[in-house]
Each structure stands twice: as structure tokens, then as C-alpha cells.
Amino acid sequence: MIVTDKFVYLHLHKSGGTFVNECLMRFFPSAKMLGYHLPHHMIPTEFAQLPTLGFVRSPWSYYVSWYAFQSQMAQPNALFRVVSENRSLDFQGTLRNMLDLGSNNAMLDRLVGLLPNAYGSQGLNLPGFALEPIRGCGKGLYSYLFDYIYGGGETEAVLGRVENLRADLLGFLETIDGSLTPPLREFIEEAAPRNRSRHDAFRGYYNEETAALVGERDSLVVERFGYSFAD
């Protein structure tokens, strides 16, 4: 979460946040990093009425990006270790476990027990109590995180798409009086991507069953933003 004197930015996991974080901290003198992956309801009262910015991506793309990023780490996080059964599962098996977190009580109990009891300043930054409400909700993990980050606030977030991140970020800043300076515009238009996962096109990771399962479990995001597996 980054607050400025004109707006607040909320960082949804693996959804363009590293680029946006760097951009805001570099070009907005009033910008303050209050925490990492903090949800909307934790915006301090004095900033609660400001416009709120966030980004979302195709759930099919998210799961591949997350899997590729974690599987290439020497020490992946607790979520990856649990749903991949300590790297013993491939993408298909890991994905099924991710999508079943809310209905697999034993797996969720194990994961919640490994997560911290309080917020930190890096990584997944999802305390056990913050993941517990996924139990029985029927949502895929990405839709759960989407609702967790952007729901429950006093003002509705303005949400751009990762697939159109530069244009959507420019469009948002153009609505904020005096924010879009020439150096800021140049950075948004020309700076290299940040923290990208190394992987092939996401569609090649899925079979018909798992592609359909994401569409079902992550219908919250798919339907709201008009995503499809063919995008």
C-alpha cells in the first residue's frame, strides 16, 4: 500500500505491482509505503476518501506467473510448498490444490499453520487469519485475493488491467490534477518491465479440465473484467 496526498495505491499479488511501486515512489514526493499487499480496509482514516488505484490480470495468466516465479526460487514461500507438496507436483497438480484451498480443510489448516500471525513487509504477506476466510467460499485463490485486497473499503478502487498497465496507469494519473509530469510519462511509457516471471505463453500450461476449472473458480474476476482463456 502506497499513499500520496492525492490517491492510494493497493498492490494485488503478481499484478504489476513492482513496476507501479517503483514509479510512484520515484515520482511522487508525498508517497509513503505503508505496507506490502495490505487490503483496502487497512487504509488509514486520513486517506480513506482519496481515489484508490489497483490492477488486476487474467486469472489464467496469474496462476502461471505465480507458479513460474515460485518454482524458480531456491526457497519458495509456504503457499507454494503446501500446494505443490514440496515441489513434487507439476503445474496441473499444484493448480488444482490452489483452486481447492477453500474446500480442502486439511490442506488449508496446514497452510494457515505455516503462515505468520501478523503482517510483515515483504513476500506474500498474508497472515493465517487473513487466509482463513477462504474456507468454504468457493473462490479460486486469485479471486479470493482480489476480493481481499480491494473489498471492504469506503471508496471503490479504480482498477486497471495488467495487460494494459501502462495506458491504464497513464489514464488514471491524467485524472489526478497535476500528477502527470513529462518525466513520469516517459518512465511509464518507456521503462523496462519489473520482476517478470520467466515462462512460456500461459495457455500451454493448461489442459481443457484445468482451464475450465479456473474459469469456474475465478468467475468473480473473469466475469467482472470480461476475461476469457482465449485472451
Side-chain angles (χ1 to χ4, degrees):
M1 179 188 295
I2 293 176
V3 298
T4 75
D5 58 359
K6 296 180 179 180
F7 63 93
V8 178
Y9 169 64
L10 298 177
H11 179 182
L12 176 60
H13 305 70
K14 295 299 294 177
S15 298
T18 303
F19 182 90
V20 179
N21 283 340
E22 180 179 339
C23 175
L24 301 185
M25 295 303 293
R26 179 182 295 192
F27 291 98
F28 287 82
S30 66
K32 297 178 182 178
M33 175 76 77
L34 298 188
Y36 200 60
H37 295 314
L38 295 184
H40 201 309
H41 71 82
M42 292 183 68
I43 296 175
T45 303
E46 60 267 35
F47 302 104
Q49 297 302 322
L50 292 176
T52 304
L53 170 67
F55 282 87
V56 65
R57 72 189 299 173
S58 163
W60 290 281
S61 172
Y62 162 78
Y63 288 116
V64 170
S65 178
W66 175 84
Y67 176 84
F69 185 79
Q70 289 293 322
S71 64
Q72 293 161 13
M73 294 184 68
Q75 295 181 322
N77 65 25
L79 172 61
F80 183 83
R81 296 197 307 271
V82 170
V83 297
S84 71
E85 298 181 9
N86 289 318
R87 300 185 188 265
S88 67
L89 299 179
D90 62 5
F91 173 76
Q92 303 288 339
T94 300
L95 174 63
R96 288 188 183 93
N97 278 342
M98 285 189 79
L99 297 173
D100 286 342
L101 262 179
S103 59
N104 188 326
N105 287 330
M107 183 169 57
L108 182 58
D109 288 343
R110 187 163 66 253
L111 176 56
V112 168
L114 293 172
L115 294 175
N117 297 319
Y119 289 102
S121 59
Q122 60 185 350
L124 181 64
N125 202 20
L126 189 70
F129 65 80
L131 181 61
E132 175 62 38
I134 198 174
R135 196 184 303 271
C137 76
K139 297 173 185 173
L141 181 65
Y142 189 63
S143 288
Y144 176 80
L145 292 174
F146 172 88
D147 201 35
Y148 159 74
I149 292 292
Y150 297 131
E154 295 184 30
T155 59
E156 185 172 352
V158 176
L159 299 174
R161 298 185 183 212
V162 170
E163 297 84 0
N164 199 37
L165 187 147
R166 296 174 193 266
D168 287 351
L169 180 55
L170 285 170
F172 174 81
L173 294 176
E174 285 171 349
T175 71
I176 306 298
D177 182 50
S179 293
L180 195 52
T181 63
L184 173 56
R185 178 182 290 276
E186 181 181 3
F187 180 89
I188 294 172
E189 291 179 340
E190 300 182 11
R194 302 298 199 261
N195 202 33
R196 296 184 71 172
S197 302
R198 301 187 305 276
H199 57 79
D200 296 330
F202 72 84
R203 295 177 197 84
Y205 287 75
Y206 291 89
N207 58 32
E208 185 175 342
E209 176 192 355
T210 52
L213 194 57
V214 171
E216 173 190 333
R217 301 287 172 83
D218 288 288
S219 59
L220 169 72
V221 172
V222 169
E223 293 176 5
R224 177 171 174 178
F225 295 94
Y227 283 118
S228 73
F229 185 64
D231 290 341

